[in-house]
């Protein structure tokens, strides 16, 4: 029964699927803050550096994943955004 509850919960939450959905949603400010937090975290950990792409090479695609986190009382505690690599 627990698995069914979580499946229904995800559908009810209606988290954005794309960046555009997030920044055009009624929770725009929360998602913008979550995106900023993720970028700040990635920069703090020196996850990447800006460089020129070698000739004949393609950049790795990324996408944003958005998730609303709730506590045991089903109250929103935060909204999280994660930048992930596509295709792996």
């Amino acid at each position: 029964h627990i698995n069914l509850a979580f499946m229904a919960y995800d559908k009810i939450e209606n988290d954005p699927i794309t960046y555009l959905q997030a920044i055009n949603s009624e929770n725009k400010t929360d998602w913008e803050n979550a995106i900023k937090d993720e970028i700040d975290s990635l920069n703090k950990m020196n996850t990447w550096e800006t460089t020129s792409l070698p000739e004949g090479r393609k950049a790795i695609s990324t996408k944003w994943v958005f998730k609303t986190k709730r506590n045991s009382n089903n109250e929103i505690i935060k909204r999280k955004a994660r930048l992930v690599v596509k295709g792996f």
Side-chain angles (χ1 to χ4, degrees), residues 17-60:
I17 304 297
T18 67
Y19 173 81
L20 286 176
Q21 287 177 349
I23 64 167
N24 289 309
S25 75
E26 62 187 37
N27 299 311
K28 173 184 177 172
T29 302
D30 291 341
W31 294 123
E32 287 174 335
N33 289 335
I35 290 166
K36 181 185 179 309
D37 289 346
E38 174 71 352
I39 291 172
D40 289 348
S41 176
L42 293 169
N43 284 331
K44 183 179 176 183
M45 293 185 293
N46 295 315
T47 304
W48 62 54
E49 63 182 56
T50 303
T51 186
S52 298
L53 196 60
E55 188 175 329
R57 298 293 181 157
K58 293 183 181 180
I60 296 172

Side-chain angles (χ1 to χ4, degrees), residues 7-23:
M7 287 171 45
Y9 172 83
D10 285 342
K11 290 181 181 180
I12 291 169
E13 196 60 63
N14 204 23
D15 287 336
I17 304 297
T18 67
Y19 173 81
L20 286 176
Q21 287 177 349
I23 64 167

Side-chain angles (χ1 to χ4, degrees), residues 9 68-78:
Y9 172 83
T68 300
K69 301 291 185 172
R70 294 180 175 267
N71 64 17
S72 59
N73 293 324
N74 206 30
E75 299 166 330
I76 294 173
I77 54 175
K78 75 185 307 187

